[in-house]
Amino acid sequence: MTQKTNAARLLDAAKITYELVSYKVDESDLSAVHVATQLGEDVACVFKTLVLRGDRTGIFVCIVPGDKEVDLKKAAKASGNKSCQMTQVKELLGLTGYIRGGCSPIGMKKPYPMYIHQSAEEHPSLYVSAGVRGMQIHLATTDLIRFARLQVADLI
């Protein structure tokens, strides 16, 4: 029996269809590329959740394909900032309630502005972290965008 995560419980409450998929965690490789390999999926539909700090708006979130890096200039522009930077790993838990390798765009402590890379719309469904290492949520892209109130943007 798979343990339900907070993100999964929120989707249940919203009556959104999803699948919880577990994978083997490698503490030395927490990358989304590793996750995609474990799932046997194309890394282009396994998205990672990154937490950034803008010079004007403060904390915001970018969700990008697992094998890509967020372009800080594009992320700043999309979020209404002049500049931005990645937050420190040690800040993640306090800001989001999640740890590195298990940061989900669903169910963060606070409703931060969130942006998803426009390539998401090319896939009928996506994988995102379920909120713990070793677990992904597979759901329809449109459901994720609507439920998590994601803004589609050019981020890479």
Side-chain angles (χ1 to χ4, degrees):
M1 164 86 188
T2 302
Q3 181 70 36
K4 286 269 173 130
T5 65
N6 186 44
R9 285 190 287 275
L10 289 167
L11 292 172
D12 286 344
K15 297 186 176 13
I16 291 174
T17 304
Y18 66 92
E19 179 187 9
L20 274 178
V21 184
S22 60
Y23 65 92
K24 191 170 182 299
V25 177
D26 179 349
E27 291 293 335
S28 67
D29 184 1
L30 296 173
S31 72
V33 174
H34 170 77
V35 173
T37 303
Q38 288 287 310
L39 298 174
E41 292 289 344
D42 181 354
V43 71
C45 62
V46 177
F47 277 55
K48 60 186 175 184
T49 304
L50 305 170
V51 181
L52 295 91
R53 178 176 282 112
D55 66 329
R56 292 180 176 165
T57 65
I59 301 299
F60 68 98
V61 177
C62 289
I63 302 132
V64 298
D67 61 341
K68 305 289 188 224
E69 293 302 318
V70 69
D71 179 316
L72 295 177
K73 282 188 170 63
K74 289 180 178 180
K77 184 177 178 192
S79 62
N81 288 286
K82 266 198 184 316
S83 66
C84 64
Q85 62 190 22
M86 296 291 294
T87 56
Q88 301 290 317
V89 172
K90 64 179 186 270
E91 295 178 276
L92 262 185
L93 184 61
L95 290 170
T96 65
Y98 295 126
I99 61 169
R100 179 171 178 261
C103 191
S104 178
I106 300 166
M108 286 193 182
K109 278 182 164 181
K110 294 180 181 169
Y112 297 115
M114 292 201 224
Y115 306 88
I116 190 164
H117 185 255
Q118 59 203 16
S119 67
E121 295 182 313
E122 298 165 15
H123 307 283
S125 63
L126 298 175
Y127 289 86
V128 294
S129 175
V132 294
R133 290 178 182 170
M135 191 82 57
Q136 291 277 301
I137 288 178
H138 183 221
L139 75 166
T141 304
T142 52
D143 286 341
L144 175 64
I145 290 171
R146 186 176 60 248
F147 182 74
R149 296 189 174 97
L150 306 180
Q151 296 178 59
V152 178
D154 181 10
L155 301 169
I156 56 178

